[in-house]
Amino acid sequence: DDSPAEARYQTLFDRAPMGILYADAESRYLDANASICQMLGYARDELIGMPAAEIVAPPVHRQRALVAA
């Protein structure tokens, strides 16, 4: 069972009007709220496990950075 504090946190996370992504130490998304899914145009299941670089630096920009280096 979740504690009352964990339940409150989950409610805040789920209902926040701002987008929230939760990532691990390797910058892979572990959770995403509905607001960020709507902002980015991804389903939650698509974001879970995705590396942050996929959103922060889309493939076209990553390729340009590698060519410029």
Side-chain angles (χ1 to χ4, degrees):
D1 289 309
D2 291 338
S3 74
E6 289 171 337
R8 281 192 305 273
Y9 166 81
Q10 191 63 48
T11 298
L12 287 169
F13 180 85
D14 293 339
R15 296 183 182 175
M18 74 287 283
I20 302 171
L21 285 163
Y22 178 66
D24 64 13
E26 287 80 38
S27 297
R28 291 198 176 272
Y29 296 125
L30 302 174
D31 205 354
N33 70 357
S35 294
I36 197 69
C37 292
Q38 184 177 9
M39 288 177 196
L40 297 175
Y42 286 95
R44 182 179 173 273
D45 291 345
E46 292 176 297
L47 288 170
I48 304 302
M50 180 185 287
E54 290 295 317
I55 293 173
V56 175
V60 171
H61 298 295
R62 283 197 311 273
Q63 184 61 35
R64 287 182 191 155
L66 290 173
V67 170

